[in-house]
Amino acid sequence: MLAVTHQIFGLTWGLLAILLINFIGLTPWMQSTIFELNYLLFLFFVLIGSIFLDIDEPGSKIGRMIPVIPHLFKLLFGHRTISHTLLFIVVLTGVCYGGLNTLGVADSLLYSIGLGIGMLSHAIGDSMTPHGVPLLWPFIPQKIRTPITFRTGSYKERLVASVLALVNVGLILYLV
């Protein structure tokens, strides 16, 4: 998937998570308008997570932002390997929570969950390509793909991104 599609897909997941959090009544700040700082920070973490798994590809959007780490990841593991697993997502979500909590950031758990939601949306998005992802590695080493797949940058991907962008506009309008 292209970075923009990952971010549109991640935003969809993030907005749906906000709807779920509102429905459950998990946190009082989620009852305010979507343009409150906490909403925006939550969605910021979702959007970062939605491209972060491509830290294993130096030419990716996130890979170009961080100079050395993507080259090391690709050299040691290759693309769409360890960074596209649930294990990596859970560990990184925990590291994010620990770091934010240590810094005394209010709502650090919720922001960390936002990062995790974004990363999970990325992995699920890449499972929609013919290459698939080793989501359950090391427990199940085989790559997982959805029954319906499309090639990165294809017409089908652009169509999915366009439909999800419209869904996102609807969700944002609903949350306002």
Side-chain angles (χ1 to χ4, degrees), residues 104-143:
V105 174
D107 294 318
S108 56
L109 178 60
L110 210 52
Y111 299 146
S112 301
I113 289 170
L115 183 75
I117 287 170
M119 290 188 292
L120 185 59
S121 78
H122 181 111
I124 299 299
D126 277 351
S127 75
M128 299 170 92
T129 65
H131 188 66
V133 293
L135 193 61
L136 301 175
W137 178 91
F139 310 106
I140 299 174
Q142 291 83 12
K143 292 188 175 186

mmCIF file of all heavy atoms in Angstrom, residues 104-143:
data_model
loop_
_atom_site.group_PDB
_atom_site.id
_atom_site.type_symbol
_atom_site.label_atom_id
_atom_site.label_comp_id
_atom_site.label_asym_id
_atom_site.label_seq_id
_atom_site.Cartn_x
_atom_site.Cartn_y
_atom_site.Cartn_z
ATOM 1 N N GLY A 104 5.281 11.847 31.882
ATOM 2 C CA GLY A 104 4.152 12.441 32.584
ATOM 3 C C GLY A 104 3.059 12.959 31.673
ATOM 4 O O GLY A 104 2.283 13.839 32.053
ATOM 5 N N VAL A 105 2.970 12.404 30.462
ATOM 6 C CA VAL A 105 1.954 12.843 29.504
ATOM 7 C C VAL A 105 0.591 12.311 29.949
ATOM 8 O O VAL A 105 0.422 11.108 30.136
ATOM 9 C CB VAL A 105 2.287 12.348 28.076
ATOM 10 C CG1 VAL A 105 1.160 12.662 27.108
ATOM 11 C CG2 VAL A 105 3.605 12.937 27.613
ATOM 12 N N ALA A 106 -0.357 13.226 30.130
ATOM 13 C CA ALA A 106 -1.715 12.817 30.466
ATOM 14 C C ALA A 106 -2.290 12.024 29.291
ATOM 15 O O ALA A 106 -1.984 12.293 28.138
ATOM 16 C CB ALA A 106 -2.572 14.042 30.757
ATOM 17 N N ASP A 107 -3.117 11.048 29.576
ATOM 18 C CA ASP A 107 -3.743 10.193 28.561
ATOM 19 C C ASP A 107 -2.721 9.423 27.734
ATOM 20 O O ASP A 107 -2.959 9.104 26.564
ATOM 21 C CB ASP A 107 -4.655 11.019 27.636
ATOM 22 C CG ASP A 107 -5.861 11.578 28.375
ATOM 23 O OD1 ASP A 107 -6.452 10.830 29.180
ATOM 24 O OD2 ASP A 107 -6.196 12.749 28.156
ATOM 25 N N SER A 108 -1.566 9.091 28.339
ATOM 26 C CA SER A 108 -0.520 8.375 27.604
ATOM 27 C C SER A 108 -0.996 7.004 27.129
ATOM 28 O O SER A 108 -0.602 6.563 26.046
ATOM 29 C CB SER A 108 0.749 8.244 28.444
ATOM 30 O OG SER A 108 0.470 7.623 29.681
ATOM 31 N N LEU A 109 -1.853 6.346 27.898
ATOM 32 C CA LEU A 109 -2.365 5.044 27.472
ATOM 33 C C LEU A 109 -3.200 5.190 26.201
ATOM 34 O O LEU A 109 -3.042 4.421 25.257
ATOM 35 C CB LEU A 109 -3.191 4.388 28.573
ATOM 36 C CG LEU A 109 -3.821 3.043 28.211
ATOM 37 C CD1 LEU A 109 -2.746 2.026 27.838
ATOM 38 C CD2 LEU A 109 -4.682 2.532 29.347
ATOM 39 N N LEU A 110 -4.064 6.181 26.172
ATOM 40 C CA LEU A 110 -4.916 6.374 25.008
ATOM 41 C C LEU A 110 -4.109 6.738 23.764
ATOM 42 O O LEU A 110 -4.377 6.239 22.672
ATOM 43 C CB LEU A 110 -5.952 7.459 25.302
ATOM 44 C CG LEU A 110 -7.265 7.315 24.569
ATOM 45 C CD1 LEU A 110 -7.884 5.938 24.746
ATOM 46 C CD2 LEU A 110 -8.232 8.377 25.023
ATOM 47 N N TYR A 111 -3.087 7.576 23.907
ATOM 48 C CA TYR A 111 -2.247 7.939 22.759
ATOM 49 C C TYR A 111 -1.467 6.722 22.272
ATOM 50 O O TYR A 111 -1.287 6.537 21.064
ATOM 51 C CB TYR A 111 -1.299 9.087 23.100
ATOM 52 C CG TYR A 111 -2.011 10.358 23.499
ATOM 53 C CD1 TYR A 111 -1.462 11.213 24.446
ATOM 54 C CD2 TYR A 111 -3.237 10.711 22.949
ATOM 55 C CE1 TYR A 111 -2.108 12.381 24.825
ATOM 56 C CE2 TYR A 111 -3.890 11.866 23.319
ATOM 57 C CZ TYR A 111 -3.330 12.701 24.256
ATOM 58 O OH TYR A 111 -3.979 13.842 24.622
ATOM 59 N N SER A 112 -1.009 5.906 23.202
ATOM 60 C CA SER A 112 -0.283 4.689 22.823
ATOM 61 C C SER A 112 -1.205 3.729 22.089
ATOM 62 O O SER A 112 -0.798 3.091 21.110
ATOM 63 C CB SER A 112 0.294 4.011 24.067
ATOM 64 O OG SER A 112 1.154 4.885 24.743
ATOM 65 N N ILE A 113 -2.435 3.639 22.555
ATOM 66 C CA ILE A 113 -3.419 2.808 21.858
ATOM 67 C C ILE A 113 -3.646 3.365 20.453
ATOM 68 O O ILE A 113 -3.775 2.604 19.492
ATOM 69 C CB ILE A 113 -4.731 2.718 22.663
ATOM 70 C CG1 ILE A 113 -4.496 1.867 23.916
ATOM 71 C CG2 ILE A 113 -5.862 2.154 21.819
ATOM 72 C CD1 ILE A 113 -5.639 1.889 24.904
ATOM 73 N N GLY A 114 -3.664 4.686 20.314
ATOM 74 C CA GLY A 114 -3.782 5.302 18.987
ATOM 75 C C GLY A 114 -2.652 4.867 18.069
ATOM 76 O O GLY A 114 -2.881 4.520 16.906
ATOM 77 N N LEU A 115 -1.421 4.875 18.594
ATOM 78 C CA LEU A 115 -0.279 4.412 17.804
ATOM 79 C C LEU A 115 -0.479 2.953 17.402
ATOM 80 O O LEU A 115 -0.262 2.573 16.245
ATOM 81 C CB LEU A 115 1.022 4.576 18.589
ATOM 82 C CG LEU A 115 2.287 4.188 17.838
ATOM 83 C CD1 LEU A 115 2.653 5.250 16.809
ATOM 84 C CD2 LEU A 115 3.447 3.966 18.796
ATOM 85 N N GLY A 116 -0.904 2.129 18.362
ATOM 86 C CA GLY A 116 -1.141 0.714 18.082
ATOM 87 C C GLY A 116 -2.223 0.494 17.043
ATOM 88 O O GLY A 116 -2.094 -0.358 16.159
ATOM 89 N N ILE A 117 -3.294 1.289 17.120
ATOM 90 C CA ILE A 117 -4.374 1.194 16.128
ATOM 91 C C ILE A 117 -3.833 1.530 14.742
ATOM 92 O O ILE A 117 -4.134 0.840 13.760
ATOM 93 C CB ILE A 117 -5.548 2.125 16.509
ATOM 94 C CG1 ILE A 117 -6.303 1.540 17.701
ATOM 95 C CG2 ILE A 117 -6.486 2.349 15.324
ATOM 96 C CD1 ILE A 117 -7.323 2.489 18.313
ATOM 97 N N GLY A 118 -3.037 2.587 14.657
ATOM 98 C CA GLY A 118 -2.447 2.961 13.373
ATOM 99 C C GLY A 118 -1.552 1.863 12.816
ATOM 100 O O GLY A 118 -1.623 1.536 11.625
ATOM 101 N N MET A 119 -0.708 1.282 13.674
ATOM 102 C CA MET A 119 0.186 0.213 13.208
ATOM 103 C C MET A 119 -0.604 -1.018 12.785
ATOM 104 O O MET A 119 -0.279 -1.651 11.777
ATOM 105 C CB MET A 119 1.213 -0.125 14.288
ATOM 106 C CG MET A 119 2.236 0.968 14.514
ATOM 107 S SD MET A 119 3.584 0.501 15.631
ATOM 108 C CE MET A 119 2.730 0.366 17.196
ATOM 109 N N LEU A 120 -1.636 -1.362 13.547
ATOM 110 C CA LEU A 120 -2.457 -2.523 13.188
ATOM 111 C C LEU A 120 -3.165 -2.283 11.856
ATOM 112 O O LEU A 120 -3.232 -3.178 11.014
ATOM 113 C CB LEU A 120 -3.469 -2.823 14.295
ATOM 114 C CG LEU A 120 -4.312 -4.072 14.099
ATOM 115 C CD1 LEU A 120 -3.426 -5.314 13.985
ATOM 116 C CD2 LEU A 120 -5.299 -4.223 15.248
ATOM 117 N N SER A 121 -3.651 -1.050 11.646
ATOM 118 C CA SER A 121 -4.304 -0.744 10.363
ATOM 119 C C SER A 121 -3.304 -0.903 9.215
ATOM 120 O O SER A 121 -3.669 -1.357 8.127
ATOM 121 C CB SER A 121 -4.900 0.670 10.376
ATOM 122 O OG SER A 121 -3.922 1.667 10.185
ATOM 123 N N HIS A 122 -2.051 -0.545 9.451
ATOM 124 C CA HIS A 122 -1.012 -0.693 8.420
ATOM 125 C C HIS A 122 -0.830 -2.176 8.073
ATOM 126 O O HIS A 122 -0.804 -2.549 6.894
ATOM 127 C CB HIS A 122 0.305 -0.097 8.919
ATOM 128 C CG HIS A 122 1.407 -0.181 7.911
ATOM 129 N ND1 HIS A 122 1.924 0.928 7.297
ATOM 130 C CD2 HIS A 122 2.094 -1.244 7.395
ATOM 131 C CE1 HIS A 122 2.882 0.558 6.456
ATOM 132 N NE2 HIS A 122 3.002 -0.761 6.506
ATOM 133 N N ALA A 123 -0.683 -3.003 9.113
ATOM 134 C CA ALA A 123 -0.465 -4.429 8.874
ATOM 135 C C ALA A 123 -1.657 -5.058 8.160
ATOM 136 O O ALA A 123 -1.481 -5.832 7.211
ATOM 137 C CB ALA A 123 -0.190 -5.143 10.199
ATOM 138 N N ILE A 124 -2.869 -4.701 8.578
ATOM 139 C CA ILE A 124 -4.060 -5.232 7.915
ATOM 140 C C ILE A 124 -4.115 -4.725 6.471
ATOM 141 O O ILE A 124 -4.447 -5.475 5.547
ATOM 142 C CB ILE A 124 -5.344 -4.831 8.680
ATOM 143 C CG1 ILE A 124 -5.336 -5.396 10.106
ATOM 144 C CG2 ILE A 124 -6.599 -5.265 7.918
ATOM 145 C CD1 ILE A 124 -5.295 -6.889 10.218
ATOM 146 N N GLY A 125 -3.771 -3.459 6.272
ATOM 147 C CA GLY A 125 -3.745 -2.907 4.913
ATOM 148 C C GLY A 125 -2.773 -3.662 4.019
ATOM 149 O O GLY A 125 -3.101 -3.995 2.879
ATOM 150 N N ASP A 126 -1.579 -3.937 4.528
ATOM 151 C CA ASP A 126 -0.601 -4.679 3.719
ATOM 152 C C ASP A 126 -1.018 -6.133 3.511
ATOM 153 O O ASP A 126 -0.555 -6.782 2.561
ATOM 154 C CB ASP A 126 0.792 -4.610 4.346
ATOM 155 C CG ASP A 126 1.531 -3.336 3.975
ATOM 156 O OD1 ASP A 126 1.050 -2.584 3.097
ATOM 157 O OD2 ASP A 126 2.597 -3.073 4.566
ATOM 158 N N SER A 127 -1.885 -6.655 4.371
ATOM 159 C CA SER A 127 -2.387 -8.022 4.145
ATOM 160 C C SER A 127 -3.375 -8.049 2.978
ATOM 161 O O SER A 127 -3.754 -9.113 2.514
ATOM 162 C CB SER A 127 -3.032 -8.593 5.410
ATOM 163 O OG SER A 127 -4.302 -8.014 5.638
ATOM 164 N N MET A 128 -3.767 -6.862 2.503
ATOM 165 C CA MET A 128 -4.671 -6.765 1.354
ATOM 166 C C MET A 128 -3.902 -6.737 0.032
ATOM 167 O O MET A 128 -4.498 -6.563 -1.027
ATOM 168 C CB MET A 128 -5.544 -5.513 1.489
ATOM 169 C CG MET A 128 -6.412 -5.535 2.729
ATOM 170 S SD MET A 128 -7.200 -3.955 3.020
ATOM 171 C CE MET A 128 -8.721 -4.233 2.146
ATOM 172 N N THR A 129 -2.586 -6.885 0.092
ATOM 173 C CA THR A 129 -1.764 -6.950 -1.116
ATOM 174 C C THR A 129 -1.374 -8.413 -1.355
ATOM 175 O O THR A 129 -1.397 -9.220 -0.423
ATOM 176 C CB THR A 129 -0.489 -6.091 -0.974
ATOM 177 O OG1 THR A 129 0.334 -6.640 0.055
ATOM 178 C CG2 THR A 129 -0.838 -4.642 -0.654
ATOM 179 N N PRO A 130 -1.020 -8.777 -2.592
ATOM 180 C CA PRO A 130 -0.663 -10.168 -2.880
ATOM 181 C C PRO A 130 0.501 -10.692 -2.030
ATOM 182 O O PRO A 130 0.577 -11.886 -1.752
ATOM 183 C CB PRO A 130 -0.276 -10.142 -4.360
ATOM 184 C CG PRO A 130 -0.971 -8.952 -4.919
ATOM 185 C CD PRO A 130 -1.022 -7.952 -3.802
ATOM 186 N N HIS A 131 1.398 -9.793 -1.609
ATOM 187 C CA HIS A 131 2.561 -10.213 -0.825
ATOM 188 C C HIS A 131 2.164 -10.663 0.580
ATOM 189 O O HIS A 131 2.766 -11.581 1.132
ATOM 190 C CB HIS A 131 3.560 -9.052 -0.768
ATOM 191 C CG HIS A 131 4.866 -9.413 -0.147
ATOM 192 N ND1 HIS A 131 5.738 -10.312 -0.715
ATOM 193 C CD2 HIS A 131 5.442 -8.998 0.999
ATOM 194 C CE1 HIS A 131 6.807 -10.431 0.057
ATOM 195 N NE2 HIS A 131 6.644 -9.646 1.103
ATOM 196 N N GLY A 132 1.168 -10.013 1.191
ATOM 197 C CA GLY A 132 0.726 -10.377 2.536
ATOM 198 C C GLY A 132 1.725 -9.967 3.611
ATOM 199 O O GLY A 132 2.738 -9.319 3.317
ATOM 200 N N VAL A 133 1.433 -10.331 4.856
ATOM 201 C CA VAL A 133 2.305 -10.002 5.992
ATOM 202 C C VAL A 133 2.386 -11.180 6.962
ATOM 203 O O VAL A 133 1.428 -11.940 7.101
ATOM 204 C CB VAL A 133 1.801 -8.757 6.771
ATOM 205 C CG1 VAL A 133 1.910 -7.508 5.936
ATOM 206 C CG2 VAL A 133 0.394 -8.931 7.277
ATOM 207 N N PRO A 134 3.520 -11.331 7.663
ATOM 208 C CA PRO A 134 3.657 -12.403 8.661
ATOM 209 C C PRO A 134 3.082 -11.959 10.011
ATOM 210 O O PRO A 134 3.772 -11.923 11.027
ATOM 211 C CB PRO A 134 5.169 -12.612 8.730
ATOM 212 C CG PRO A 134 5.721 -11.243 8.468
ATOM 213 C CD PRO A 134 4.772 -10.608 7.483
ATOM 214 N N LEU A 135 1.807 -11.612 10.032
ATOM 215 C CA LEU A 135 1.166 -10.984 11.187
ATOM 216 C C LEU A 135 1.342 -11.772 12.483
ATOM 217 O O LEU A 135 1.542 -11.186 13.544
ATOM 218 C CB LEU A 135 -0.325 -10.786 10.891
ATOM 219 C CG LEU A 135 -1.100 -9.882 11.819
ATOM 220 C CD1 LEU A 135 -0.539 -8.469 11.803
ATOM 221 C CD2 LEU A 135 -2.570 -9.876 11.441
ATOM 222 N N LEU A 136 1.287 -13.087 12.419
ATOM 223 C CA LEU A 136 1.329 -13.906 13.628
ATOM 224 C C LEU A 136 2.706 -14.510 13.912
ATOM 225 O O LEU A 136 2.834 -15.388 14.757
ATOM 226 C CB LEU A 136 0.268 -15.011 13.534
ATOM 227 C CG LEU A 136 -1.161 -14.485 13.366
ATOM 228 C CD1 LEU A 136 -2.127 -15.634 13.164
ATOM 229 C CD2 LEU A 136 -1.571 -13.615 14.530
ATOM 230 N N TRP A 137 3.746 -14.034 13.206
ATOM 231 C CA TRP A 137 5.105 -14.496 13.463
ATOM 232 C C TRP A 137 5.474 -14.122 14.893
ATOM 233 O O TRP A 137 5.089 -13.062 15.357
ATOM 234 C CB TRP A 137 6.064 -13.819 12.463
ATOM 235 C CG TRP A 137 7.490 -14.196 12.675
ATOM 236 C CD1 TRP A 137 8.154 -15.223 12.095
ATOM 237 C CD2 TRP A 137 8.440 -13.553 13.543
ATOM 238 N NE1 TRP A 137 9.445 -15.260 12.538
ATOM 239 C CE2 TRP A 137 9.649 -14.245 13.452
ATOM 240 C CE3 TRP A 137 8.376 -12.468 14.421
ATOM 241 C CZ2 TRP A 137 10.778 -13.904 14.172
ATOM 242 C CZ3 TRP A 137 9.497 -12.121 15.146
ATOM 243 C CH2 TRP A 137 10.671 -12.825 15.012
ATOM 244 N N PRO A 138 6.185 -14.886 15.656
ATOM 245 C CA PRO A 138 6.879 -16.143 15.353
ATOM 246 C C PRO A 138 6.024 -17.386 15.554
ATOM 247 O O PRO A 138 6.483 -18.491 15.338
ATOM 248 C CB PRO A 138 8.040 -16.132 16.345
ATOM 249 C CG PRO A 138 7.482 -15.450 17.544
ATOM 250 C CD PRO A 138 6.526 -14.404 16.998
ATOM 251 N N PHE A 139 4.770 -17.219 15.969
ATOM 252 C CA PHE A 139 3.905 -18.368 16.262
ATOM 253 C C PHE A 139 3.457 -19.072 14.989
ATOM 254 O O PHE A 139 3.421 -20.297 14.928
ATOM 255 C CB PHE A 139 2.703 -17.919 17.093
ATOM 256 C CG PHE A 139 3.117 -17.094 18.283
ATOM 257 C CD1 PHE A 139 2.929 -15.728 18.301
ATOM 258 C CD2 PHE A 139 3.756 -17.690 19.366
ATOM 259 C CE1 PHE A 139 3.337 -14.964 19.380
ATOM 260 C CE2 PHE A 139 4.180 -16.935 20.448
ATOM 261 C CZ PHE A 139 3.974 -15.566 20.450
ATOM 262 N N ILE A 140 3.099 -18.301 13.985
ATOM 263 C CA ILE A 140 2.736 -18.841 12.675
ATOM 264 C C ILE A 140 3.544 -18.055 11.644
ATOM 265 O O ILE A 140 3.277 -16.874 11.429
ATOM 266 C CB ILE A 140 1.214 -18.699 12.412
ATOM 267 C CG1 ILE A 140 0.425 -19.474 13.472
ATOM 268 C CG2 ILE A 140 0.874 -19.194 11.002
ATOM 269 C CD1 ILE A 140 -1.077 -19.273 13.396
ATOM 270 N N PRO A 141 4.563 -18.674 11.051
ATOM 271 C CA PRO A 141 5.468 -17.933 10.173
ATOM 272 C C PRO A 141 4.899 -17.570 8.797
ATOM 273 O O PRO A 141 5.418 -16.691 8.135
ATOM 274 C CB PRO A 141 6.665 -18.870 10.020
ATOM 275 C CG PRO A 141 6.136 -20.226 10.302
ATOM 276 C CD PRO A 141 4.990 -20.050 11.260
ATOM 277 N N GLN A 142 3.801 -18.225 8.380
ATOM 278 C CA GLN A 142 3.258 -17.962 7.054
ATOM 279 C C GLN A 142 2.691 -16.538 6.971
ATOM 280 O O GLN A 142 2.151 -16.011 7.940
ATOM 281 C CB GLN A 142 2.132 -18.951 6.694
ATOM 282 C CG GLN A 142 2.612 -20.363 6.485
ATOM 283 C CD GLN A 142 2.755 -21.117 7.804
ATOM 284 O OE1 GLN A 142 2.309 -20.685 8.849
ATOM 285 N NE2 GLN A 142 3.405 -22.264 7.737
ATOM 286 N N LYS A 143 2.791 -15.973 5.775
ATOM 287 C CA LYS A 143 2.226 -14.648 5.536
ATOM 288 C C LYS A 143 0.714 -14.768 5.367
ATOM 289 O O LYS A 143 0.226 -15.735 4.800
ATOM 290 C CB LYS A 143 2.860 -13.999 4.315
ATOM 291 C CG LYS A 143 4.313 -13.656 4.572
ATOM 292 C CD LYS A 143 4.911 -12.844 3.477
ATOM 293 C CE LYS A 143 6.327 -12.447 3.899
ATOM 294 N NZ LYS A 143 6.945 -11.553 2.974
#
